[in-house]
Amino acid sequence: MKPVSLLGLLPLVAAAPPLNTPSVTPSSVRVVGVSLLGSGCPAGTADVQIDATKTLMEVTFSEYIIQTGPGTKAADWRKNCKLTLNLEFDEGFQFATLGTDMKGFAQIPAGARGLCTNTFDFTGVPGSSVYSLSLPGEREGPFTLTADPDVVSWSPCGGTTSIMNMNTQCNISPTRSQALIAVDRISGKLTLNVSLEWRKCR
């Protein structure tokens, strides 16, 4: 597990309050701890930031590369990274993830397909929010993929801290084809943006 760089306090967005209900956020949110573990995020190659509006979490990876084809091995065909984020905030609030988008570079021939899955859950709460992103061939160049969850999972009420677990994993099949999912060639990063929202506990 490795620490990651964080910009400022860690505010998070709120999931979907009913229409015509004003969005609310805690007055104080801070990061208690962050750790990363996985083949897609070796030590020192990932970063986490929260924007000033408290509605977007950005996770970037600089060595998240999936490759298939001649000369590759099983460890190259699939990569993952598990992020564990511990937040402390005002009592009486909970938050959820509302959507994700992933930006990177892909080179996938016809007949092959890349698949990235981002899963979020909260320690102590059953269920999870799952976002699946498909990259069918034939394609070559930068990509931006957006996904919404089938089910929205909220952090628990009744406390001032919550641990959110995120697992992102990507693979390409069939593995005999020469294909690639990697960091964007301009930014040098594969980026996962996560929309978050707060609401008051009922």
Side-chain angles (χ1 to χ4, degrees), residues 90 132 149 163 199:
D90 299 341
S132 294
I163 297 176
R199 72 181 182 188

Side-chain angles (χ1 to χ4, degrees), residues 8-74:
L9 297 178
L10 199 57
L12 285 169
V13 188
L19 292 177
N20 303 321
T21 299
S23 177
V24 293
T25 57
S27 60
S28 174
V29 182
R30 72 185 187 93
V31 180
V32 179
V34 178
S35 64
L36 288 162
L37 179 66
S39 58
C41 51
T45 65
D47 182 64
V48 180
Q49 299 179 18
I50 300 295
D51 79 344
T53 68
K54 303 181 181 181
T55 63
L56 182 68
M57 178 173 71
E58 182 184 77
V59 185
T60 56
F61 307 96
S62 60
E63 291 189 15
Y64 200 112
I65 300 171
I66 301 94
Q67 299 181 80
T68 58
T72 63
K73 52 188 182 297

Side-chain angles (χ1 to χ4, degrees), residues 117-130:
T117 303
N118 302 308
T119 303
F120 297 84
D121 65 71
F122 296 97
T123 299
V125 176
S128 60
S129 300
V130 181

Side-chain angles (χ1 to χ4, degrees), residues 86-98:
N86 191 349
L87 292 180
E88 184 175 82
F89 45 85
D90 299 341
E91 187 173 4
F93 285 87
Q94 61 181 164
F95 67 94
T97 63
L98 293 186

